[in-house]
Amino acid sequence: PVQVIIPTYNQPKLLAECLSSIGATKLSYPVEVIVVNNGHPASLNMLGHQPFFKIIQTGGRNLGWEGGLIEGLKHSTSEFVMFANDDIFIQAAQNNWIRKMMETFSNQEIAGVGPSSNFVMGAQHMTFRTPYDSIEVPYLIGFCALYRRKVLDEVGWYDESYFLDGEDIDLCWKIKKKAYRIVYYPEVSIIHIKG
């Protein structure tokens, strides 16, 4: 299965909608979600328990976005991991979203793939049109990006010295320096609620 790592901070309603949308599509491709709770330990009690996700508590410490992803990676065992915001929403028409993104990894040179969205900069914006199934891009925006885990291990994960800006671009640069490719898959479109 693909493991989706989602750091969150006191956003239980948004996270519940996000998880519900992921759960509704999990039958088309096996997926497990690792939620890293940077907020109050009781803030996610409303979610209950579902077999497709688990919650990692940080004890009320806010590790930040990068720290939350790194903590999630420590609990991840999958060959492919997705980093995602807690405010993404998968529409029912996109029920094959992970399967489509995973298809790009048949090319061993590809280390990362990202979807289009309504609230994202650059080529990943849904208004950008291309006749190709996927196109190579210089970077992926971190709101939702799927990576080959062995490449993340090779380049050293996220740099925690970045605080909320630029860490996703820095990660992609490190990946490309190792001669791997980063691609954008425009057919997969994900709603990004807050941006």
Side-chain angles (χ1 to χ4, degrees):
V2 168
Q3 288 182 314
V4 183
I5 300 174
I6 305 178
T8 190
Y9 181 79
N10 296 338
Q11 296 282 355
K13 185 175 184 300
L14 275 177
L15 178 63
E17 293 172 357
C18 171
L19 292 174
S20 176
S21 72
I22 293 173
T25 64
K26 70 183 183 302
L27 294 179
S28 64
Y29 197 93
V31 61
E32 298 171 356
V33 180
I34 299 171
V35 175
V36 179
N37 184 18
N38 280 326
H40 190 280
S43 65
L44 303 184
N45 287 349
M46 64 172 283
L47 296 178
H49 298 284
Q50 294 287 334
F52 77 96
F53 72 82
K54 64 180 177 181
I55 298 171
I56 307 301
Q57 298 284 1
T58 64
R61 294 177 300 125
N62 185 359
L63 304 177
W65 168 254
E66 301 87 355
L69 294 175
I70 290 170
E71 184 64 25
L73 282 169
K74 292 175 184 175
H75 296 269
S76 169
T77 57
S78 180
E79 185 180 352
F80 296 94
V81 293
M82 177 178 285
F83 299 144
N85 284 15
D86 60 4
D87 63 345
I88 63 168
F89 186 83
I90 316 305
Q91 301 171 89
Q94 293 287 321
N95 67 333
N96 283 322
W97 66 298
I98 292 183
R99 180 178 299 284
K100 288 179 179 178
M101 291 171 72
M102 282 294 293
E103 287 172 359
T104 63
F105 290 112
S106 61
N107 183 335
Q108 295 299 311
E109 294 179 358
I110 293 177
V113 59
S116 68
S117 184
N118 61 309
F119 206 127
V120 64
M121 70 177 197
Q124 285 181 260
H125 197 277
M126 62 176 42
T127 58
F128 180 79
R129 297 289 178 221
T130 175
Y132 305 105
D133 290 338
S134 64
I135 57 172
E136 190 164 359
V137 290
Y139 57 84
L140 295 171
I141 302 302
F143 79 100
C144 181
L146 179 60
Y147 292 104
R148 199 182 293 272
R149 173 61 185 265
K150 71 174 185 178
V151 177
L152 293 177
D153 293 341
E154 185 178 338
V155 302
W157 302 359
Y158 270 118
D159 184 343
E160 288 187 85
S161 67
Y162 287 86
F163 189 71
L164 295 180
D165 279 318
E167 75 287 337
D168 44 5
I169 295 172
D170 175 69
L171 176 63
C172 290
W173 282 344
K174 290 191 293 188
I175 289 171
K176 290 178 80 69
K177 281 181 184 177
K178 294 287 188 179
Y180 293 105
R181 297 170 58 201
I182 302 286
V183 298
Y184 155 57
Y185 198 101
E187 280 190 33
V188 174
S189 184
I190 291 175
I191 299 299
H192 191 191
I193 295 171
K194 287 178 64 179

